[in-house]
Amino acid sequence: MTEKTAENNIPDFAKKKAYIERLRPIDDVMFEILAKDPEVCEEILKVILEDPKLKVLSVTPQDSIKNLYGRSVRLDALCELSTGETVNVEVQRSDNDNHLMRTRYNLSCITANIMEPGAKFEKVPTVCFVYISEFDVFGENKTTYHVDSVIRETGTVVDDKCYRIFVNTKVKDETEISKLMEHFMQNNFSDPDFPKLSEAFYHYKHTDGGVNTMCTILDEYAEDRLREKEIKSAKELFANGLSVSMVKKISDILSEEELKALSEEVVHNQKK
């Protein structure tokens, strides 16, 4: 939404502005816009990965990749480091999923997506998954959990170039990571220890240009949510035996090609 269109729709703009004022970094829509800035991601990852020399070369915000059967994986911020490593950062507010399995699935999709076709397995890229949640995933009263592959009989950690780090905003332990997580839950802050995050957060919450950008993102989110509902509805209809042509008469958003792909996915899952 541009500044002009916002002025032409004052009530709608006012509602969006009030909504934006309540947003925090942990919220998807705010994190998406913050994560577009590599310097912001770099500042966050330096703390979480405990590497002050870490450099983020590029960020692909809200990237979508698919597996062989067409299931989309939406990634909040896919970062490429100067070392060639890939780090995906995801924020999660809802505790309604198996989070360990979620990270396992997403890691496999990321690995398959960025690995060169035909490359030997020794070339499998290093991937790190940072999972920031509003709750303690493991319930063991830690702010940070590093999940490693371990040989059960000896306790030896096996380095398979796949790393999972779970960080939460719930547990407070006086560490720098915990301090950063406190800001993820605030709708207003300024901290000299996190200048890039503070500056970007202020821009999108309190400047005309930033607020208008946020309004555009909110419109895009509304469209995405509508598409998600249409996809869910279409899958249910296909599961009940309706044809692509019949569902097409009901759906105003999805194309015939998209409906065909969804129908094939439903059929494949029913055969499992």
Side-chain angles (χ1 to χ4, degrees):
M1 177 183 288
T2 64
E3 188 171 356
K4 184 175 181 180
T5 56
E7 291 175 353
N8 290 338
N9 194 2
I10 297 298
D12 188 45
F13 178 71
K15 288 181 181 179
K16 289 177 182 176
K17 193 172 187 301
Y19 179 75
I20 291 167
E21 289 175 354
R22 298 194 300 270
L23 288 174
R24 309 157 301 169
I26 193 71
D27 296 309
D28 283 340
V29 65
M30 177 56 74
F31 186 76
E32 174 182 344
I33 193 70
L34 291 173
K36 287 184 178 181
D37 187 338
E39 290 186 343
V40 172
C41 284
E42 182 174 295
E43 189 171 81
I44 292 171
L45 290 177
K46 280 182 176 180
V47 175
I48 294 176
L49 300 184
E50 301 178 279
D51 182 359
K53 296 182 179 180
L54 178 148
K55 294 293 181 184
V56 172
L57 296 182
S58 63
V59 182
T60 306
Q62 290 289 10
D63 189 30
S64 292
I65 60 177
K66 293 183 177 181
N67 68 8
L68 294 175
Y69 300 111
R71 174 167 178 168
S72 292
V73 174
R74 189 161 184 169
L75 309 175
D76 289 346
L78 194 64
C79 306
E80 180 187 356
L81 305 187
S82 59
T83 56
E85 299 173 351
T86 297
V87 180
N88 181 60
V89 185
E90 181 171 330
V91 293
Q92 182 68 27
R93 292 190 57 203
S94 301
D95 190 8
N96 59 358
D97 203 348
N98 186 318
H99 305 286
L100 198 60
M101 293 301 101
R102 181 187 181 98
T103 59
R104 174 189 167 189
Y105 177 82
N106 286 4
L107 271 167
S108 65
C109 289
I110 294 169
T111 301
N113 186 260
I114 65 178
M115 188 174 178
E116 291 293 332
K120 293 184 177 180
F121 286 115
E122 65 182 17
K123 299 295 184 181
V124 170
T126 298
V127 181
C128 178
F129 201 113
V130 175
Y131 201 76
I132 301 174
S133 63
E134 198 172 323
F135 46 89
D136 184 351
V137 172
F138 299 102
E140 299 200 22
N141 202 37
K142 301 290 184 183
T143 299
T144 308
Y145 299 93
H146 294 80
V147 178
D148 300 317
S149 297
V150 178
I151 298 174
R152 185 182 304 175
E153 288 75 12
T154 64
T156 303
V157 175
V158 178
D159 187 5
D160 55 4
K161 307 298 182 184
C162 178
Y163 309 108
R164 288 174 288 183
I165 303 176
F166 292 81
V167 184
N168 68 81
T169 63
K170 184 177 180 180
V171 180
K172 309 295 189 296
D173 61 8
E174 305 302 323
T175 61
E176 189 178 15
I177 295 177
S178 181
K179 183 180 179 181
L180 174 62
M181 290 299 99
E182 284 187 36
H183 292 323
F184 265 65
M185 296 297 291
Q186 297 169 340
N187 58 21
N188 193 23
F189 67 86
S190 178
D191 190 334
D193 288 338
F194 309 108
K196 299 298 182 182
L197 177 62
S198 297
E199 181 182 351
F201 193 60
Y202 179 86
H203 172 72
Y204 292 113
K205 300 257 300 188
H206 301 293
T207 68
D208 290 342
V211 169
N212 284 320
T213 298
M214 287 300 302
C215 286
T216 300
I217 297 295
L218 288 175
D219 288 339
E220 292 173 355
Y221 254 69
E223 293 176 4
D224 287 346
R225 297 295 85 81
L226 188 58
R227 280 186 59 83
E228 288 175 1
K229 288 182 179 179
E230 286 273 320
I231 290 172
K232 182 179 179 181
S233 177
K235 286 183 176 181
E236 291 174 351
L237 293 172
F238 289 135
N240 288 322
L242 270 69
S243 66
V244 170
S245 60
M246 294 176 69
V247 176
K248 179 59 182 172
K249 293 178 182 179
I250 303 172
S251 177
D252 297 324
I253 297 177
L254 303 175
S255 67
E256 186 171 350
E257 290 73 22
E258 289 174 314
L259 290 172
K260 286 180 179 178
L262 290 173
S263 176
E264 291 173 359
E265 181 182 340
V266 170
V267 170
H268 171 78
N269 289 336
Q270 288 178 331
K271 290 180 179 178
K272 287 184 178 179

